[in-house]
Amino acid sequence: MPTPAPRDLSDLPFRHRLESFTADLAREEDYEWLHIDGATFDDTDAGMSRFTESALSSVTFNGGRLRRARLDTVWMHSMRTVGTDLAESTWLDTECLSGLLAGTQLHGAQMRRAVFHHCKFDSVNLRATKLREVVFVDCLLRDVDFAGATLTDVSFPGTSLDKVDFTKATLSRVDLRDATALGITSGAEALNGAIVSTPQLLDLAPALARHIGIMVKDR
């Protein structure tokens, strides 16, 4: 899967339609062609809202609920979500650059044709998610939980995986060869369907040995 190049706001095909948005977000609303720039939302409830062909620049969500929100063709730059509930949300044709997701709930979310550039995921819950054609480029995934998730055509070029859990995940054509680190704490047995390099296989050997019960002792 080719690595997509990051885009600027001026590169977006719908940029001429964008209108500045400075109001509060609300539940079950349809938002189209909005540009939110430099806003902070504290404990906002925008659950089940739909965002289409929109842009978010330097936007922070502290807490709050966007459960079951739908993001369709949304561009995000320097977005921060801290303790935000995005469970069961849908991400389609989305792009996130230089973002921070910390303590964010994304369990049950669905992502298709999404790309993350230079983003940091810290203690993010991605349990039971469905990811298809998703790319993590030069990201850091620390304490990320993919337990029970389904990953199809997902790649991690330049990305470091640190204490990541793949317990009972289902992987198909998941390319890990260009990841800079494979720190997998649980679920190494679920890597069936992943592509790794020979050096990475050697790095994974201790975890795989533990799974099948091989005791390794040097004399």
Side-chain angles (χ1 to χ4, degrees):
M1 181 187 303
T3 302
R7 296 184 297 176
D8 292 326
L9 183 66
S10 59
D11 297 325
L12 302 179
F14 51 87
R15 65 188 181 284
H16 60 287
R17 295 182 176 180
L18 293 175
E19 297 182 0
S20 179
F21 181 88
T22 57
D24 290 331
L25 297 172
R27 287 179 57 83
E28 300 183 51
E29 290 288 340
D30 287 315
Y31 298 106
E32 187 174 25
W33 305 326
L34 62 82
H35 181 206
I36 306 176
D37 185 16
T40 297
F41 298 96
D42 294 320
D43 294 319
T44 292
D45 188 354
M48 293 184 285
S49 290
R50 293 159 294 278
F51 300 83
T52 306
E53 292 192 341
S54 297
L56 285 70
S57 307
S58 301
V59 174
T60 298
F61 291 92
N62 291 315
R65 292 158 295 283
L66 286 93
R67 182 179 287 258
R68 296 183 180 175
R70 180 180 177 85
L71 286 70
D72 187 346
T73 319
V74 175
W75 177 91
M76 295 163 278
H77 190 287
S78 300
M79 185 182 76
R80 295 167 52 92
T81 63
V82 182
T84 307
D85 184 356
L86 279 154
E88 300 178 21
S89 56
T90 300
W91 303 52
L92 178 65
D93 293 314
T94 56
E95 182 177 354
C96 185
L97 291 77
S98 302
L100 169 65
L101 291 82
T104 299
Q105 296 295 325
L106 276 163
H107 58 273
Q110 299 188 45
M111 297 184 182
R112 183 162 189 177
R113 295 190 300 274
V115 58
F116 298 89
H117 290 274
H118 302 283
C119 293
K120 181 179 179 180
F121 290 69
D122 196 344
S123 301
V124 174
N125 182 354
L126 283 159
R127 296 174 69 92
T129 53
K130 293 184 178 180
L131 278 60
R132 180 180 289 272
E133 299 177 66
V134 176
V135 186
F136 298 90
V137 185
D138 298 327
C139 295
L140 171 61
L141 276 59
R142 176 181 294 147
D143 290 314
V144 172
D145 190 350
F146 284 107
T150 301
L151 288 74
T152 306
D153 294 315
V154 177
S155 60
F156 300 83
T159 290
S160 174
L161 280 65
D162 181 13
K163 293 182 285 188
V164 173
D165 187 348
F166 282 108
T167 301
K168 296 184 178 179
T170 301
L171 278 59
S172 177
R173 299 183 300 277
V174 173
D175 196 339
L176 293 165
R177 288 174 294 180
D178 292 323
T180 58
L182 290 183
I184 299 174
T185 55
S186 301
E189 68 280 4
L191 294 181
N192 177 28
I195 307 169
V196 299
S197 67
T198 299
Q200 288 174 324
L201 180 60
L202 296 176
D203 290 340
L204 289 169
L208 295 172
R210 285 194 299 270
H211 172 64
I212 61 178
I214 295 177
M215 184 178 296
V216 180
K217 287 186 177 181
D218 296 320
R219 292 189 179 276

